[in-house]
Amino acid sequence: MKRSILILALFMLIHSLTMGQIISTSKDSLLLIITEYSYVPADTFSLYNKGESLLTVDSIKTEHGYSYQVEINFSDTTVYFNLINFEPIETFNLLPNDSARVIFSNPDLCPICGSPNDYAPFTDSVTFYSNSIVRPNYMLTIMEIGRASCRERV
C-alpha cells in the first residue's frame, strides 16, 4: 500500500513538472534609454508559456512604486493598461506553448523627483505573479540609461 502511494505521488510530481505551465521571458532586464532631446523610453520582451497547461498572470507589481504604460500583444488581440502599484490589472492567460509581446514604456517617476530640476536615474523591478509551476513570481529588472531632468519627464 505504501509503495503504491509513493509511486502515485512520484507519478503526479513528474506529470505536474512535465505538463504544467511554465513562465519564461526573452530577457531578464529592460533598458529604457532617455536623452535630453528624446523622452520616449520603451523596451520590449516576449513572455512565454513553455508548459502544457494554461498560464494565468493575475497581477504585476513594481518594486519602487513607479508606474508604466504597458502594451501586451497576443496573437489575436492587444491589451493596453497603466501599471500602477497596488491597482489590479485584468488577469490574462497564455495558451500552452504560446507567447505574447510585452512593451513597457513611459515610466512615471514621481516617487523620486523632489523638484522639477532633479536628475534622477533609476532602477526598478517588475514581478509577474502567475500560476507557473516554476518561478510563479517572475521578476524583471528595469534600468534607465541616460539622464533627464524630472521636468522633462512630466
Side-chain angles (χ1 to χ4, degrees):
M1 177 71 173
K2 289 182 181 179
R3 181 180 231 180
S4 297
I5 292 173
L6 183 60
I7 291 172
L8 180 61
L10 184 60
F11 174 76
M12 289 173 55
L13 176 65
I14 291 170
H15 182 268
S16 70
L17 290 176
T18 59
M19 301 304 247
Q21 55 284 353
I22 301 171
I23 192 170
S24 180
T25 57
S26 58
K27 52 187 167 181
D28 292 327
S29 62
L30 303 176
L31 206 49
L32 303 179
I33 299 173
I34 301 169
T35 69
E36 63 181 294
Y37 303 108
S38 169
Y39 179 67
V40 186
D43 200 359
T44 303
F45 65 96
S46 294
L47 182 66
Y48 302 106
N49 177 5
K50 293 189 172 184
E52 299 297 324
S53 299
L54 187 70
L55 176 71
T56 300
V57 175
D58 58 18
S59 64
I60 305 171
K61 304 286 185 205
T62 67
E63 179 182 9
H64 294 294
Y66 309 143
S67 62
Y68 302 89
Q69 291 179 352
V70 179
E71 176 181 333
I72 304 176
N73 299 298
F74 299 98
S75 58
D76 60 349
T77 188
T78 298
V79 176
Y80 301 92
F81 59 90
N82 288 319
L83 175 60
I84 301 171
N85 248 10
F86 308 113
E87 289 191 14
I89 64 162
E90 183 82 24
T91 298
F92 63 89
N93 299 309
L94 276 177
L95 295 172
N97 298 304
D98 199 5
S99 66
R101 185 172 155 248
V102 182
I103 303 170
F104 271 73
S105 64
N106 299 315
D108 178 0
L109 304 175
C110 288
I112 61 172
C113 290
S115 76
N117 295 320
D118 286 348
Y119 283 81
F122 73 97
T123 301
D124 196 7
S125 62
V126 178
T127 304
F128 290 78
Y129 295 90
S130 71
N131 65 340
S132 176
I133 60 171
V134 177
R135 294 177 68 185
N137 303 339
Y138 195 91
M139 185 184 304
L140 290 173
T141 301
I142 299 178
M143 297 175 290
E144 172 209 10
I145 290 186
R147 289 181 171 228
S149 74
C150 291
R151 175 181 293 150
E152 293 166 358
R153 296 176 184 203
V154 176

